[in-house]
Structures are given as structure tokens and as C-alpha cells.
């Protein structure tokens, strides 16, 4: 599998030869070289002789599908998997490095910022930045120095909040910047960002990427792990693609075709990002009218203003909008009033008003809601695929309240095959699956509940390109079966590629409705901005 | 980690090893119990396994085990109940006052006591489920309230003795199916004074049912291509466990037969094991404890389930209170003092997780027996209560450390 691609680095070959001339930069020295890294878990080879070589002062992107081994590689690098638990060598700053722990690698200036941020929400920005590294004399914290240095660091990352601000009162985008400021406080030489923009919206992402370029100018070397190829092209100097635990290619980012990266990542051509679907909308399935919702904690704050929309049988309807525009709140308030209070409005299915006041009633009425946050709201991670698949419709696999394990297994197997979930068995713990496969389990759960209308909230977030395509195909199958699909997404190309109609949402209200053929990224943005 | 995605063909020995590793907990628990029993059998020079002591062992631990059934459900649902000892004592006192002071018939007293337990559970569950007040706090309050309530109700005195029909739930034995003459002749064959055919028959039937259920489950797993327990493990485990079961029933049979308490307890264990593993409601409790938000968004009425878990706990604590009072033949203000900790320890030794969502009835029962055998064995050896407490504490810690260590190794 390693030989199919032209510009590639076999794990056993020296990597340096392919870098220099392409990048046109001559005074580069190699900061980090990981040679033939092999990491095995019981029964599984997670990394198979992976090589990675990062030049001093560059931004190096690592691309690969979920499950390719990127995170494992970074854990090897940072000492989470200590030296000796893997095969191969790490050379850092020209010498063999054997990190025994995270603090070992941090002492050498390697800092990882994980996807899930590691800040303590109840502490201030300053306290978080110097957490574990407190500015103190004799155990007594020097607040003045802490605050002064925090201010300097915040200025570096372009954050204007006061150092005493509580972390839980600032948004995810700013929290990301605080993490970076924290890294800078440790004299970072090699900064590793694991999908830093996954939870950010467009303008915050851009700010973060620009900050990376700025840090690069100051001499910090960066590794960025990302699914978003646009970003990779924007910031990266070099791209290493990893697939199935092995290095597939190492390419200069300049002038690189996205299709090329995608092809290397999935190991096949991706001519169509979105599968085709015959578009034929039937009768109106679900209608929502005059939907108003207030905030559950701040009773005076109205979050959803007078929203109305409908979904037809066989139709995929999109809801576009920025993060914080109220899309998830709208979906959850419809689905059994699981968010908000003082909810008013009319919901009709097949023209008849339905009671959606509780989740079980909403499910009984024919609704399903696939949450945006599958780990904390969608799945029970310690349980098996089988357990999760049948959870929303246990009545169907039981008689008089007694479960039939046989039926359950049958159901779980059926959906495993239908959705091509990659797992050795349906008795696998869901927490061990990759993001794409977890999402398939969530979908299986809701498909088995037999809904007529599915609300999918960011169904492809954090999922790699190949799995995205599969999720799209599943959505198309659903609409072909005459189900109505409401799709909430922050990725506009996805909405444009998948939907028949798109509602545009801003600040809790719908500000426009576009038919697929009239919609474009620019028109959606202008509707949001002009409001 | 992506380890699960690659389905590598494994050789037979490595498969066995992997299976053992993943199920270390279950096997470890079982062998710990067997090892502890063997140890005390040796150091007490055979006293532990004498028929009269085995009967006692069941009687002494019945109320702990009965409460552990309810506690397991409460803990699986992600909560805890610190009040069970006090509630048990209070209900025992309540029943004593009803029977002795008010002269109420025993059967009415029993029903009233169980209803009282349910109401107490409901009162506590209401705050936990619908007001989202941490169960630790609600039941800590309950512990204080009902400890005081027992004192108040009994006016600081012991109340007793009870009529025979009350005592029988704790000290009675199930009558044998064969007439006395036949059984004494049988007893002669084994060199014993007595031989209870019913006890032996129940033991044999239990063994056969367990084997049949096990084989059925294996056949089903195989039909669906699920990697179950390797055959040799299955048989080894069953031979050891069922052998021990037969041995115990034989011992019981040569003494006075099946204690009423053992029968009650056995039936309850079977019912609760079935309920937690095979029913829709049981499944939903695990989902609730595993991830309450996800469970709620899957249409599960999480508040109601939490509420019911506490009601159930209350009823079982009441039953335990009746059994405890009947055994002592008196209700004392100190009854149940600190017992909640034994019950909680049994559940955690049995492998339940503090954070909810995992744990099994069988584990909790075995955990309770481990504690019970240690109590009993150390008492026979004449070890003081001071050392007993320390040793039990260390065993609890060791069991949980073993758990965590296993999990880390797998991770």
C-alpha cells in the first residue's frame, strides 16, 4: 500500500533528500526526526514504521483519516507513551531523545495542545496559564508578576481580556488562544496543535491560523494536525500524510492540490465529495410554526425568535448559521424540549399537531436527533456497540420488558453491515472506535428507532474525508426512503452539496431561505451579515 | 486509539490470554472468594465449613446481601445511599413497636414495614431525582434523620421479644419434602444426624439450571459469531463454582436444611440478576449511570428511574430490617449502625464503579460473601474487632486498586 503514490517516503528511506529543493529554503535544519516509529497495542499495530521529519521554523501539517495514527504518533513524541514502549528513534535538536513522560518533553520545549482543551474552567486566565508553573516565592503566589506576565503573553496571542477573567466566561476560540499563551509561557520550541480549529468558527479559525504564522516568524516550529485541507494549505510549509499507521507521503504544501492530499489520505480517488441523489420532495412531513424559546437559566433571554420551517418527505433541509446562532438550541427545543424553557409554538407531523414535550414522546412521534456532541450527549462510551444501537428503541428487541440478546445482536449486526461500521465485533466498546465509526453507531441508534424526520446536528464534525462521504451516502439513502432530514452544519460546502433547501439562521431567527440552485457561500454569508 | 479497528487474526493461546485479561475482574473476584474460604478453612481447622457455621454464615450476611442488591442498582445509576443502615434500623424499630406495643398481627406489620421502607426511599429519591440534589448529601441527611428517629421511636430502649411467626423469617427453615423417617435413614448413609432432601434437590436443580443457561448463552453467542468465553474456561469455572455450590448445599442438608432467609435471598438474587441484565428497565439504569445526558436524549425517563432506584432501595432496606430484628428477636436503637458502609463496600469489592454505569448483581453478592467470610473466619480465629476493621478496610482498598490497575493495563 505504500508504493502507489509518486511523491512518497518509504519508512526505511532517509527523508531529508526530498525536502530541500522543493521548498527552496536552504538554511533549514532538522529540528525533529522520528525514525521508523512502531507502536503496538495488544493485537494491533497502531503505528508501523512511521517517519516524520520537521524542519526548524516551519509549520508542518500532519494529515490522515481518523484512526490513521496521528494522535498515537503525537503521544509517542510527547512521552505519553514513554521511550521503550515503542520501537524506533526520536531525534530532537540533533540528538537522540528518550522522553519518559510528558514533563520530560515539555522541559525540552515540546508542547501539545489537544483537541479537548485542558483548561480549568473555574480558574482565571492567569491562573490557568501558570498552572503547574506558578510564579511563586516559597509557595506564595506572586500575583503581580503573574498578572504582568500574563498580560504580555495575552498581547502576544492577540487576546485583550483581563488576566483575571474566568476561563468559563470566554468562548472556545479565546480558550484556544489561552492554551497557546500557556504554551508560550513555557518557552516552547515545538508547538503541536491537534485539530485546533475543530470547534472554532470561520473568523476565529482564521485568527488562530494567522497567529501560527506569526509564531513561525518568531521562530517557533509548529506541527498542526488537521482535517481541513484549506487550512493546511494556508499555513503549512510541508505536509506529511499518514494512512493506516504508516507514512504515505511527505510533500511541500506550496501549490499542492487538495485532491492529492485527499487521495493520499483515503488511498483512492475522490472525484465526488458528495454522492449524487435524485431530488424529489414529497408531501410536507413536519412543520414548525411560531417557535419561541427562552434560555433555561436566564429567564429573560429569548434565544429562539418566532421560527417557522418545514421538511418534506425525501428532502434534505439545511440550517446554516454561525456558531452561537441558536441552531442546536432550536433542534434540542424541538426534540422533546431538551433545551430551553417557556417553549411555545406549533409542531405538526403529516399536518396533525403533535406533542413533543418529552424526548420519549418526540421519538414516538417519529423524530430523531443526532447530537452535535456525540461523546457526551450521543453515546455511552463504556458500553458496547450493541448496547448503544438498541438504546432508543428497546421495546423492539424485548417482549414484555424482557430483552432478547439474540435480537439485539441481530439488529446491531444489521446496522453494522448497512453502515459499514469498521469494528471487529458489535461487542466492541464504543469508546474505542474512531470518530467516524462512533458517528455511525449514533446513526444506527436513531435509524433503529424508525424515525420519519431526522435532525442531524453537525453530523460530520471531527470525521475524516472518507467517513464523511459514507455519512453523506447514508443521509441520501434516508431521503430516498422518503424520510425528512434536517441538517445543521457549520461547513457551508457540505450544506450546499447535500441540501435541497437551506434556511439561514442568525441570532436565534431565520433570516432567509434559499433553494439549492440559488444558494452559494456568498449569498448565505450576506444574509447573515446584512441582518 | 484506533486499536479496535484492525481485526487481526489471533492465535488460540493469545486469544485465551486476551480473554483472561479482559475478564480478570470476574475471575479474580471468584478466586479471591475461594482462596479466602480455603484459607480460613485451614486456619480455623475446619470450623468454617462445618454445617452449623455455614448456616450461620448465610444468616449473618443475609441482610447485607439483600441491601447490596438495592445498593448495586443505586450505584449503577450513578448515585449512592448512605442511609440504608439507619433506615434498616428504623424499620426494624417500627415493626417492633407495631407488634409488641400495638399488638398488630405479624403479616400486617410486615406489609406496613415494607411500605414504610418504600416511602422513605421515595422521600429521599424525590430530592435526588427531581431536585438534582447530590445523593451523597440527601442520604447523609437521611442517615442522621433515621438514626435519630429509631432512638425516638424506641425511646432509647430495646423492644422485644417477638412472636414466633415474626422470628421465623430469620431463624426458620423450609420444611423437608420427605417424612422424617426416610431422611434419618438417608442421613445414616452419610454419617450425619440429618439429611434434608429438599436442600440437596434445590442445590442440584440450581446446578443444572446454571449449566443449561450457560450452554444456551454460548450457543447463541456462537450463532452470532460473538467471541464468548473459551470452552475450557467455561467448564473450569462451572466445575469449580458449581462444585462449591453442591458442597455447600450438602453441608446445609446435613444440618437443618434450607434456612428461610437463604431461600428469600436466593430468590431475590435471581430476580435482581435477571432484572439488571435482561430487562428493558434494567438496561436503562445502566445507560443512565453510563451517561445520563445521552440516556435522556435517547428518550429514557432518567428522573423517574433514579426515583425508583431509591424506592427499591428503601423496600430492600426495610426487608433487611425485618430480618435483622427477627434474628436478634429484639429491636435496638443501635441496629444497623454503620451497616451502610459494609453494604457499599460489598458492592465496590464486587466491581461496581463509583462513577456509575457498571457493576453486576453477582459481583455484589460475591463481594458481600468475601466480607462475610472474612468477618466470620476472623471471629472464629478470635481476632479482635480492631484488627478485623483494619483488615476489611485494606481488602476494600486492594480490590479497588486491583480494578484500577487492570483498567490501566488494558488502556
Amino acid at each position: 500500500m505504500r508504493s502507489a503514490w509518486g511523491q512518497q517516503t518509504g519508512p526505511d528511506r532517509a527523508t531529508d533528500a526530498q525536502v530541500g529543493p522543493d521548498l527552496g529554503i536552504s538554511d533549514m535544519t532538522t529540528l525533529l526526526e522520528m525514525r521508523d516509529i512502531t507502536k503496538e497495542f495488544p493485537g494491533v499495530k497502531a503505528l508501523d514504521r512511521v517517519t516524520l521529519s520537521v524542519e526548524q521554523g516551519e509549520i508542518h501539517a500532519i494529515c490522515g483519516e481518523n484512526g490513521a495514527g496521528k494522535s498515537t504518533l503525537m503521544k509517542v513524541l510527547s512521552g505519553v507513551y514513554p521511550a521503550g514502549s515503542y520501537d524506533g528513534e526520536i531525534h530532537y535538536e540533533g540528538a537522540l531523545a528518550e522522553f519518559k513522560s510528558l514533563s520530560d518533553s515539555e522541559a525540552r520545549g515540546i508542547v501539545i495542545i489537544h483537541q479537548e482543551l485542558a483548561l480549568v474552567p473555574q480558574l482565571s486566565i492567569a491562573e490557568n496559564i501558570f498552572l503547574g508553573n506558578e510564579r511563586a516565592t516559597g509557595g506564595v503566589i506572586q500575583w503581580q508578576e503573574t498578572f504582568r506576565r500574563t498580560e504580555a503573553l495575552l498581547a502576544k496571542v492577540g487576546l485583550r481580556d483581563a488576566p483575571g477573567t474566568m476561563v468559563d466566561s470566554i468562548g472556545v476560540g479565546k480558550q484556544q488562544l489561552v492554551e497557546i499563551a500557556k504554551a508560550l509561557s513555557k518557552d516552547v520550541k515545538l508547538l503541536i496543535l491537534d485539530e485546533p480549529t475543530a470547534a472554532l468558527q470561520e473568523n476565529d479559525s482564521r485568527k488562530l491560523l494567522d497567529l501560527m504564522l506569526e509564531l513561525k516568524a518568531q521562530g517557533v516550529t509548529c506541527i498542526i494536525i488537521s482535517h481541513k485541507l484549506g487550512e493546511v494549505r494556508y499555513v503549512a510549509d510541508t505536509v506529511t500524510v499518514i494512512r493506516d499507521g504508516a507514512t504515505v507521503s511527505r510533500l511541500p504544501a506550496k501549490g499542492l492540490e487538495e485532491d492529492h492530499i485527499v487521495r493520499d489520505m483515503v488511498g483512492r480517488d475522490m472525484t465526488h465529495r458528495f454522492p449524487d441523489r435524485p431530488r424529489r420532495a414529497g408531501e410536507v412531513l413536519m412543520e414548525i410554526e411560531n417557535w419561541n424559546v427562552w434560555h433555561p437559566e436566564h429567564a429573560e433571554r429569548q434565544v429562539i425568535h418566532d421560527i417557522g420551517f418545514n421538511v418534506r418527505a425525501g428532502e434534505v433541509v439545511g440550517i446554516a448559521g454561525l456558531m452561537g446562532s441558536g441552531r442546536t438550541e432550536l433542534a434540542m427545543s424541538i426534540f422533546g424540549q431538551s433545551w430551553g424553557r417557556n417553549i411555545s409554538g406549533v409542531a405538526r407531523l403529516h399536518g396533525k399537531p403533535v406533542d413533543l414535550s418529552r424526548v420519549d414522546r418526540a421519538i414516538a412521534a417519529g423524530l430523531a436527533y443526532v447530537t452535535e456532541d456525540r461523546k457526551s450527549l450521543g453515546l455511552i462510551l463504556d458500553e458496547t456497540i450493541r448496547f448503544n444501537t438498541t438504546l432508543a428503541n428497546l421495546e423492539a428487541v424485548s417482549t414484555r420488558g424482557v430483552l432478547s440478546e439474540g435480537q439485539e445482536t441481530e439488529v446491531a449486526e444489521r446496522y453494522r453491515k448497512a453502515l459499514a461500521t469498521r469494528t471487529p465485533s458489535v461487542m466492541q466498546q464504543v469508546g474505542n472506535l474512531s470518530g467516524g465509526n462512533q458517528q455511525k453507531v449514533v446513526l444506527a441508534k436513531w435509524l433503529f428507532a424508525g424515525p420519519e424526520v431526522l435532525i442531524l446536528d453537525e453530523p460530520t464534525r471531527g470525521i475524516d474525508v472518507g467517513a464523511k462521504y459514507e455519512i453523506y451516502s447514508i443521509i441520501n439513502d434516508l431521503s430516498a426512503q422518503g424520510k425528512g432530514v434536517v441538517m445543521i452544519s457549520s461547513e457551508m460546502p457540505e450544506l450546499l452539496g447535500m441540501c435541497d433547501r437551506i434556511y439561514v439562521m442568525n441570532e436565534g431567527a431565520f433570516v432567509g431561505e434559499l433553494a439549492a440552485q440559488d444558494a452559494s457561500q456568498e449569498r448565505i454569508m450576506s444574509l447573515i451579515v446584512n441582518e | 486509539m484506533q486499536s479496535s479497528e484492525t481485526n487481526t487474526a489471533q492465535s488460540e493461546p493469545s486469544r485465551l490470554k486476551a480473554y483472561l485479561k479482559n475478564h480478570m475482574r470476574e475471575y479474580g473476584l471468584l478466586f479471591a472468594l475461594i482462596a479466602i474460604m480455603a484459607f480460613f478453612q485451614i486456619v480455623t481447622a475446619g470450623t468454617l465449613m462445618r454445617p452449623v457455621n455455614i448456616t450461620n454464615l448465610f444468616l449473618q450476611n443475609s441482610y447485607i446481601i439483600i441491601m447490596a442488591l438495592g445498593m448495586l442498582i443505586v450505584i449503577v445509576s450513578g448515585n449512592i445511599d448512605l442511609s440504608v443502615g439507619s433506615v434498616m434500623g428504623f424499620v426494624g424499630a417500627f415493626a417492633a413497636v407495631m407488634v409488641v406495643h400495638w399488638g398488630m398481627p405479624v403479616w400486617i406489620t410486615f406489609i406496613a414495614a415494607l411500605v414504610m421502607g418504600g416511602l422513605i426511599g421515595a422521600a429521599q429519591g424525590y430530592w435526588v431525582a427531581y431536585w438534582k440534589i447530590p445523593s451523597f448529601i440527601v442520604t447523609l441527611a437521611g442517615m442522621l434523620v433515621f438514626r435519630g428517629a429509631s432512638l425516638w421511636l424506641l425511646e432509647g430502649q430495646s423492644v422485644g421479644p417477638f412472636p414466633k411467626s415474626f422470628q421465623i423469617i430469620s431463624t426458620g427453615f423450609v420444611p423437608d419434602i420427605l417424612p422424617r423417617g426416610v431422611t434419618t435413614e438417608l442421613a445414616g448413609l452419610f454419617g450425619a444426624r440429618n439429611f434434608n432432601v429438599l436442600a440437596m434437590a434445590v442445590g442440584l436443580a440450581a446446578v443444572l439450571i446454571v449449566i443449561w443457561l450457560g450452554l444456551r448463552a454460548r450457543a447463541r453467542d456462537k450463532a452470532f459469531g460473538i467471541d464468548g468465553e473459551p470452552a475450557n474456561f467455561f467448564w473450569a469455572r462451572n466445575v469449580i463454582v458449581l462444585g462449591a455450590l453442591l458442597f455447600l448445599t450438602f453441608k446445609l442438608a446435613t444440618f437443618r436444611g434450607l434456612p428461610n432467609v437463604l431461600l428469600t435471598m436466593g430468590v431475590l438474587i435471581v430476580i435482581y440478576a435477571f432484572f439488571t441484565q435482561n430487562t428493558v428497565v434494567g438496561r436503562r439504569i445502566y445507560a443512565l449511570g453510563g451517561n445520563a445526558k445521552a440516556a435522556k436524549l435517547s428518550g429514557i425517563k432518567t428522573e423517574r428511574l433514579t426515583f425508583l432506584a431509591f424506592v427499591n432501595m428503601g423496600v430492600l432496606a426495610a426487608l433487611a430490617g425485618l430480618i435483622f430484628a427477627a434474628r436478634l428477636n429484639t429491636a435496638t436503637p443501635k441496629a444497623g449502625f454503620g451497616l451502610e458502609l459494609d453494604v457499599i463496600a460489598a458492592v465496590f469489592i464486587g466491581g461496581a464503579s463509583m462513577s456509575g454505569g457498571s457493576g453486576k448483581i453477582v459481583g455484589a453478592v460475591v463481594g458481600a460473601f468475601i466480607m462475610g467470610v472474612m468477618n466470620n473466619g476472623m471471629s472464629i480465629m478470635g481476632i479482635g474487632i480492631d484488627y478485623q476493621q483494619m483488615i476489611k478496610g485494606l481488602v476494600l482498598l486492594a480490590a479497588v486498586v486491583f480494578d484500577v490497575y487492570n483498567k490501566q493495563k488494558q488502556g
Side-chain angles (χ1 to χ4, degrees), chain B residues 100-390:
Chain B
V100 178
H101 289 181
W102 303 348
M104 300 292 262
V106 169
W107 67 273
I108 290 185
T109 305
F110 280 5
I111 292 172
L114 296 179
V115 169
M116 173 63 90
L119 287 176
I120 291 172
Q124 301 193 80
Y126 169 75
W127 298 108
V128 178
Y130 299 102
W131 284 71
K132 310 272 181 274
I133 298 175
S135 53
F136 189 95
I137 293 167
V138 172
T139 59
L140 182 63
M143 174 170 118
L144 297 170
V145 167
F146 293 106
R147 194 180 286 173
S150 314
L151 259 171
W152 167 76
L153 196 61
L154 296 174
E155 292 164 336
Q157 312 284 315
S158 292
V159 175
F162 302 130
K164 201 93 190 132
S165 56
F166 192 123
Q167 293 174 42
I168 218 155
I169 55 162
S170 201
T171 52
F173 290 83
V174 183
D176 204 352
I177 36 174
L178 293 183
R180 188 89 192 159
V182 185
T183 54
T184 31
E185 252 175 64
L186 268 174
L189 289 178
F190 299 107
R193 274 188 304 143
N194 188 13
F195 188 78
N196 188 301
V197 179
L198 177 73
M200 206 62 227
V202 167
L204 268 174
V207 167
L208 293 177
I209 290 172
V210 168
I211 292 179
W212 178 67
L213 286 176
L215 287 176
R216 211 182 57 154
R218 287 179 65 77
R220 194 183 47 216
D221 279 356
K222 207 172 168 199
F224 287 107
I226 290 174
D227 253 0
E229 192 178 18
N232 35 7
F233 281 28
F234 172 77
W235 287 114
R237 181 173 57 86
N238 273 318
V239 164
I240 293 171
V241 173
L242 300 178
L245 184 67
L246 275 181
F247 177 73
L248 289 180
T249 38
F250 175 73
K251 291 284 184 178
L252 287 176
T254 56
F255 185 53
R256 291 176 61 189
L258 277 183
N260 286 339
V261 171
L262 180 61
L263 192 72
T264 316
M265 197 171 85
V267 169
L268 284 177
I269 291 172
V270 170
I271 290 175
Y272 276 87
F274 181 80
F275 168 75
T276 51
Q277 295 305 309
N278 293 297
T279 66
V280 170
V281 180
R283 170 65 57 84
R284 288 181 173 158
I285 292 172
Y286 282 87
L288 159 67
N291 185 344
K293 287 179 191 163
K296 195 162 183 164
L297 280 173
S298 300
I300 294 171
K301 293 165 198 140
T302 51
E303 286 94 0
R304 187 189 292 181
L305 272 183
T306 307
F307 177 73
L308 290 177
F310 278 93
V311 173
N312 174 66
M313 181 73 252
V315 174
L316 288 177
L319 178 60
L322 291 174
I323 291 173
F324 189 80
R327 185 172 143 70
L328 295 185
N329 200 14
T330 169
T332 73
K334 282 248 169 194
F337 199 84
L339 269 188
E340 59 276 348
L341 300 180
D342 282 10
V343 175
I344 292 168
V347 173
F348 285 137
I349 289 177
S353 145
M354 185 83 203
S355 53
S358 73
K360 284 193 172 158
I361 286 289
V362 178
V365 171
V366 174
F369 270 119
I370 286 181
M371 294 291 265
V373 171
M374 283 178 36
N375 277 334
N376 183 276
M378 289 191 291
S379 296
I380 296 173
M381 284 170 71
I383 295 177
I385 193 81
D386 42 0
Y387 288 107
Q388 285 195 24
Q389 300 267 11
M390 289 192 252

Side-chain angles (χ1 to χ4, degrees), chain B residues 5-86:
Chain B
E5 292 194 3
T6 334
N7 190 2
T8 36
Q10 290 176 342
S11 61
E12 188 62 18
S14 78
R15 202 175 72 86
L16 285 183
K17 225 169 111 188
Y19 184 87
L20 193 63
K21 224 168 157 183
N22 286 332
H23 295 78
M24 196 62 151
R25 182 71 200 154
E26 287 101 350
Y27 290 110
L29 197 62
L30 197 61
F31 287 108
L33 178 61
I34 290 169
I36 288 171
M37 287 179 90
F39 173 77
F40 282 112
Q41 173 71 356
I42 293 164
V43 296
T44 60
T47 314
L48 185 83
M49 301 275 192
R50 291 234 315 266
V52 55
N53 193 51
I54 285 180
T55 308
N56 263 335
L57 200 59
F58 284 122
L59 296 183
Q60 275 172 2
N61 291 295
S62 54
Y63 42 89
I64 302 272
I65 289 171
I66 286 171
M67 287 197 287
L69 302 177
M71 187 64 77
L72 178 98
I73 290 177
V74 167
I75 286 175
V76 164
S77 78
N79 293 293
I80 195 134
D81 191 341
L82 298 174
S83 71
V84 291
S86 298

